[in-house]
Amino acid sequence: MESLKTEKNRSLEVATETDGVSLRHADDMLLAQLGYKSEFKREFSLIETVAFAFSIMGVIASVSSTLTFGLESGGHVGMVFGWLIPSLFVLTVALSMAELASAMPTSAGLYYFAAKLAPSEYSALASWITGWANITGQTTLVCSIDFTCAQMITTAVSVASDGSIVLSSRATYGILLAILFSHGIVCSAATSVLARLNLFYVFINVGTTVAAIIALLVISDTKVSTRDAFTLFENNTGWSNNGWAFILAFTAPMWTLTGYDSAAHISEEVAGAARAAPIAILVGVGATASLGWILLIVVSFVTPSISNLLSSDLPLPMGQVFLDVLGKKGMLTIWSLIIVVQYVTGAAQGVDASRVVFAFSRDNALPGSRWWKQINSYTQTPVNAVWLVMLIAGICGVLGFSVTALNSLAGSAVIGLYTSYTFPIFLSVIGGREKITPGPFTLGRLSKPIGWIAVTWVTFIVIMLLFPPGSRTTGSDMNYSIVIMGAVFVFATAWWMFSAKKWFHGPIINVDGLSVGEKDDTPGESVEGQISSS
């Protein structure tokens, strides 16, 4: 074990002192020590990795998609503080994840972390739980992003036609399928193409957000007072308790601040991954939370009537905000850019989700793993995994026919992702941290207290997201998160009990540790087993 730690630290030292070729070699050596051979080209730089993590959260598009949550759950207070409070707690999750990603930079990410941090007798089960939770969250997040992108398009059509054309749920679903198909093509591209696209993503994302903030502030003739913008509370939910109504506003930032684990999932495509991944996670979360809060404060100031926004015929109230302030032409101009932001956000999330499917399949943990773990010989990307993600997202999109579609999809994404985020953190704070060698980024003595705050917060949020939007509900307006998560839980549990526990042993090594470049097609032993034998 000590020799393993020494070799790992030596690899990191070499990485900081040599040129790009040696840096990539050091990354591959570290990956081999974690149990995997390098199968991707390392063509993401630090800047491109940060851009990827940031782009996947798409500030302006995410705020536009989820403004309803704040408007209903507190009005001005819901928009401003319903975003700020969760953002501060999410930072604790990001800090803990960054520490783990720095120590173990592999595309297996969270479920690999769980396997390494859990007691050896529970390693496989911990990996199984984390992996299935993450994949569920990843695929429903792809669906929810692309679904709101479809809603943005229907909003633009309605405004452009002065309300004479109102697209149906069927049309919205058709647009969703078209977006998913196009994303399948984009996400199948070579790594070098994806890396360069992310710089474009950031430019559009940040540029549109800043342009929206300036336009709303400068052009708006009607602004509420500072007191009203920050303290005026309105309960427009179906709950009589104002405190609980306000808490439901937390859904918006929790859904927006997801996907930053992408920096870990593409770490096998990143040069200097042990440093780049944690930086990307923290910069992505910090920048998105800050810009989102500033934008919502501005929206709060330029919104004289919450009820008028909620009664708008447009699918997304944010469209009405821009229409009221900027007029038809101005609204369509900025809205077109927001659609582009949401589109590229969905593309980035599609890449992330496909890498998770690939990694989990590489360890034979999904039905049909032999297909999903294949790397296309031309693009050197997991093309089959990409199309599986798009297929599942398309099936989940059927929820678009429900009036609470976004509640259900967003809730499922947040529950799945944050469960997978915090389970490894929980294992770390109860003693698992002693089993790993810290990477370049470490929290030191603050690791446990920050970790416990993260675990406690997510436990609360997961319970909250299972509740319906109102105290009384019917089949058409219920929160289907519990149905999605329940179905996955039943399937994964049954498969584990009757089959998987006999053959699934957690992440499987596919190198012998002597030569990174050697092909090894023999069945591997689990990572936990490799470390125990070291």
Side-chain angles (χ1 to χ4, degrees), residues 411-444:
S412 299
V414 174
I415 291 171
L417 289 173
Y418 273 91
T419 296
S420 66
Y421 292 176
T422 52
F423 193 46
I425 297 172
F426 171 73
L427 294 172
S428 176
V429 296
I430 63 173
R433 189 171 184 270
E434 306 302 322
K435 300 175 63 177
I436 62 173
T437 303
F441 176 80
T442 177
L443 298 174

Side-chain angles (χ1 to χ4, degrees), residues 287-419:
T288 301
S290 300
L291 277 175
W293 193 46
I294 293 171
L295 176 60
L296 282 165
I297 290 174
V298 172
V299 172
S300 183
F301 269 104
V302 301
T303 303
S305 174
I306 299 295
S307 59
N308 285 350
L309 283 186
L310 290 174
S311 62
S312 171
D313 292 329
L314 298 180
L316 296 174
M318 190 68 162
Q320 190 66 50
V321 173
F322 286 117
L323 183 60
D324 292 342
V325 176
L326 307 181
K328 180 179 176 180
K329 290 184 178 180
M331 180 274 177
L332 289 174
T333 300
I334 196 76
W335 200 250
S336 298
L337 293 174
I338 293 174
I339 291 174
V340 173
V341 172
Q342 190 71 332
Y343 181 85
V344 297
T345 298
Q349 176 55 34
V351 172
D352 185 20
S354 67
R355 284 0 181 218
V356 176
V357 169
F358 162 79
F360 211 35
S361 298
R362 183 168 57 181
D363 296 325
N364 302 317
L366 289 178
S369 288
R370 61 175 178 170
W371 291 298
W372 318 132
K373 66 182 176 182
Q374 291 179 9
I375 296 293
N376 184 276
S377 59
Y378 179 73
T379 64
Q380 289 295 296
T381 55
V383 173
N384 291 355
V386 169
W387 287 104
L388 176 63
V389 168
M390 300 307 157
L391 174 63
I392 296 174
I395 295 172
C396 291
V398 173
L399 285 174
F401 293 98
S402 165
V403 296
T404 55
L406 186 56
N407 291 72
S408 302
L409 292 171
S412 299
V414 174
I415 291 171
L417 289 173
Y418 273 91
T419 296

Side-chain angles (χ1 to χ4, degrees), residues 476-492:
S476 63
D477 61 5
M478 71 171 283
N479 183 352
Y480 283 91
S481 297
I482 194 168
V483 177
I484 296 175
M485 299 309 299
V488 174
F489 175 79
V490 170
F491 175 79

Side-chain angles (χ1 to χ4, degrees), residues 239-269:
W239 295 92
S240 58
N241 186 288
N242 288 339
W244 179 251
F246 170 68
I247 288 173
L248 293 177
F250 294 175
T251 305
M254 292 304 299
W255 181 74
T256 301
L257 298 173
T258 52
Y260 49 88
D261 55 317
S262 58
H265 297 145
I266 64 167
S267 59
E268 293 182 30
E269 301 169 70

